[in-house]
Amino acid sequence: MKQGERIEDKRKFFKGTVYSKSDPYYRKAKCEGFRARSAYKLLQVDEEFSLFSGVTRAVDLCAAPGSWSQVLSNKLYDSDEERKAAQASGNVKIVSVDL
């Protein structure tokens, strides 16, 4: 930062990079229950490269805000009942950690 430059000036520069409620993917994520718009990037990568084919278990490191874990959960579990049963039995397929 140059001498005499204020932090407020930096905030004005970065203001446009924060995703607002007018962003279509932000709104779509909220409507579909995803925690963040990044879920759609993971779905796009999976569609193009079959990222999850053959995956039975996964570890999501740096998991906040959790949208990628949500996508993994939708891919690895067939239903909410299966997800709840796995959680109750301790036989989980996804471990999410954010340190």
Side-chain angles (χ1 to χ4, degrees), residues 84-95:
K84 290 175 184 175
Q87 210 171 18
S89 69
N91 187 21
V92 295
K93 295 181 179 181
I94 302 168
V95 176

Side-chain angles (χ1 to χ4, degrees), residues 73 77 79-92:
S73 180
Y77 292 107
S79 66
D80 284 335
E81 292 81 26
E82 183 185 354
R83 185 181 298 122
K84 290 175 184 175
Q87 210 171 18
S89 69
N91 187 21
V92 295

Side-chain angles (χ1 to χ4, degrees), residues 1-12:
M1 189 159 58
K2 297 176 185 175
Q3 188 176 8
E5 190 176 12
R6 308 187 118 234
I7 292 176
E8 290 83 21
D9 296 335
K10 292 284 185 184
R11 286 190 189 133
K12 287 179 187 174

Side-chain angles (χ1 to χ4, degrees), residues 33-93:
F34 288 119
R35 294 181 181 173
R37 64 192 301 279
S38 58
Y40 297 106
K41 182 51 84 175
L42 184 60
L43 288 169
Q44 179 186 6
V45 170
D46 179 48
E47 184 179 302
E48 189 171 335
F49 298 107
S50 300
L51 189 65
F52 298 123
S53 65
V55 173
T56 57
R57 297 190 185 276
V59 176
D60 185 5
L61 302 175
C62 301
S67 60
W68 284 32
S69 296
Q70 285 179 308
V71 171
L72 280 168
S73 180
N74 291 339
K75 292 286 187 177
L76 297 182
Y77 292 107
D78 294 326
S79 66
D80 284 335
E81 292 81 26
E82 183 185 354
R83 185 181 298 122
K84 290 175 184 175
Q87 210 171 18
S89 69
N91 187 21
V92 295
K93 295 181 179 181

